Amino acid sequence: MGATTGFTLSCAGQTIPAVGLGTVSDPRVDAETTRVAVLEAIKAGYRHFDSAFVYGSEKPVGEAIAEALRLGLAKSRDEFFITTKLWCTFAEGDQVIPAIKMSLKNLQMDYVDMYLVHLPLRLTQQMTKSPVPREHIMPIDLKSVWAGMEECQNLGLTKGIGVSNFSCKRLEDLISFCKIPPAINQVELNPFWRQKELMEFCKAKGIHITAYSPLGAHGTKWGDNRILGCNVIEEIAKARGKTTAQVSLRWVYEQGASMVPKSFNKERMRQNIDIFDWSLTEEEINKINQLPQRKGSTLASTFGPHDLVLEIDADI
């Protein structure tokens, strides 16, 4: 059920399963924990996996998929939708292709389904501490980086290209000069951060939204319990015989977005894809849409309150 439900992206002509598994862990877990979790997710029906170079999850994701194919849990690589991301230290035109090739080597794959620009900024060296010294944070040269992204798609290293954490303003800039438009914008989206303006803009431009932190990233340094502990959502869940997580994910789904909740718990993995045979009533949606809005994830909390970082935070 979860593996086959998806949206066709007009830009890339692809179908993306509506619910994927996020693989960023905070605090970071060992590779074996991620590998086992991804394999369990495949057994549960997941076929969409969201990774990134900076998460350190590419190798275990690739190992789990290779193992699943050996075990006959899936027939071919083509059954999967794999996303990874260009990290900020490689956000320069001539580094994009070497970066995706490094990610493909980690994943043990010939191509990914979606390659995203992780953030609209550049780091001059690898992050070794948080916050990052201001002198290591630079504006991104989006024209040269996007030309590299387009070349990745033209070479068949990825089926589609997109962005993450991009505002309407930054998307408008990108659309003004790109040859291949972004297929996806992956952003924080949940009942407490509904992104109404961005959702409308992306819909008008044919850009699909994938939601990260659809459950508020509880348990991470950037997340909290405002969704899973929300009385309004909890009351709806009890009345419907669902979990608060299922109600929140169903709300995201009804916005027309795909999502990548991260849970390595077997039972919650299964619950998170069990959202397709029911729907929220208009009254329930209205109650959720009246929840106070507050962004959960900020770049400043990781990179430091530098001018360029705060400017990006203010936009998205």
Side-chain angles (χ1 to χ4, degrees):
M1 179 167 56
T4 57
T5 302
F7 303 90
T8 299
L9 307 180
S10 59
C11 297
Q14 293 176 267
T15 297
I16 179 170
V19 181
L21 185 76
T23 62
V24 60
S25 293
D26 179 64
R28 186 172 285 200
V29 298
D30 60 79
E32 179 61 10
T33 299
T34 301
R35 186 193 67 79
V36 170
V38 171
L39 195 60
E40 286 297 335
I42 293 169
K43 291 175 183 176
Y46 285 78
R47 293 297 181 268
H48 174 188
F49 294 94
D50 181 71
S51 65
F53 175 84
V54 76
Y55 301 165
S57 64
E58 291 173 333
K59 284 185 178 180
V61 167
E63 288 167 1
I65 289 172
E67 186 174 349
L69 293 171
R70 284 195 302 272
L71 294 172
L73 299 174
K75 291 180 181 177
S76 74
R77 157 70 180 90
D78 293 345
E79 287 186 29
F80 295 95
F81 191 100
I82 308 299
T83 296
T84 195
K85 307 177 190 78
L86 175 78
W87 183 234
C88 305
T89 47
F90 310 118
E92 293 190 84
D94 61 354
Q95 293 189 41
V96 178
I97 289 175
I100 193 174
K101 286 183 175 178
M102 184 164 48
S103 289
L104 290 172
K105 184 178 180 182
N106 288 339
L107 287 160
Q108 303 176 49
M109 295 177 184
D110 296 324
Y111 69 92
V112 287
D113 297 274
M114 193 60 55
Y115 195 47
L116 307 180
V117 177
H118 204 144
L119 290 167
L121 58 79
R122 181 169 71 87
L123 295 178
T124 58
Q125 64 180 53
Q126 289 289 359
M127 282 180 65
T128 56
K129 61 181 179 179
S130 179
V132 177
R134 173 62 183 89
E135 61 269 21
H136 296 160
I137 300 173
M138 304 289 287
I140 190 172
D141 179 358
L142 193 53
K143 281 191 177 181
S144 69
V145 168
W146 196 252
M149 297 290 286
E150 290 173 331
E151 186 64 10
C152 289
Q153 183 167 330
N154 291 334
L155 291 171
L157 302 174
T158 181
K159 287 188 173 182
I161 52 177
V163 295
S164 182
N165 300 296
F166 269 53
S167 64
C168 298
K169 179 182 172 184
R170 292 178 193 279
L171 287 169
E172 194 82 76
D173 178 40
L174 174 55
I175 291 166
S176 72
F177 62 77
C178 67
K179 295 176 182 174
I180 302 174
I184 280 178
N185 187 19
Q186 186 179 119
V187 295
E188 180 181 357
L189 176 69
N190 56 56
F192 280 85
W193 194 241
R194 294 192 295 275
Q195 299 268 34
K196 189 172 183 290
E197 182 186 356
L198 182 65
M199 292 291 289
E200 290 173 354
F201 178 89
C202 287
K203 184 177 181 180
K205 300 296 183 182
I207 301 169
H208 179 76
I209 291 282
T210 295
Y212 69 72
S213 299
L215 300 176
H218 180 51
T220 68
K221 65 185 175 187
W222 60 83
D224 58 32
N225 198 35
R226 70 192 187 283
I227 292 173
L228 299 180
C230 172
N231 291 336
V232 171
I233 298 175
E234 193 174 348
E235 284 173 13
I236 294 170
K238 282 182 179 177
R240 302 299 296 272
K242 305 296 179 184
T243 67
T244 52
Q246 285 173 322
V247 171
S248 180
L249 296 177
R250 178 70 201 190
W251 178 88
V252 172
Y253 176 67
E254 292 188 14
Q255 309 312 300
S258 58
M259 67 210 84
V260 286
K262 184 265 171 180
S263 177
F264 285 0
N265 175 284
K266 277 194 234 182
E267 180 61 23
R268 287 195 292 270
M269 277 185 198
R270 292 179 187 277
Q271 290 172 350
N272 288 351
I273 58 171
D274 187 17
I275 63 167
F276 300 109
D277 59 355
W278 57 283
S279 59
L280 295 166
T281 66
E282 188 175 341
E283 182 184 0
E284 289 165 343
I285 291 170
N286 287 339
K287 284 182 180 178
I288 291 171
N289 286 348
Q290 288 170 27
L291 291 170
Q293 294 297 283
R294 180 169 63 82
K295 187 180 181 185
S297 175
T298 65
L299 299 183
S301 65
T302 300
F303 292 92
H306 308 301
D307 52 356
L308 183 58
V309 174
L310 293 171
E311 181 187 325
I312 295 170
D313 272 339
D315 277 348
I316 55 172

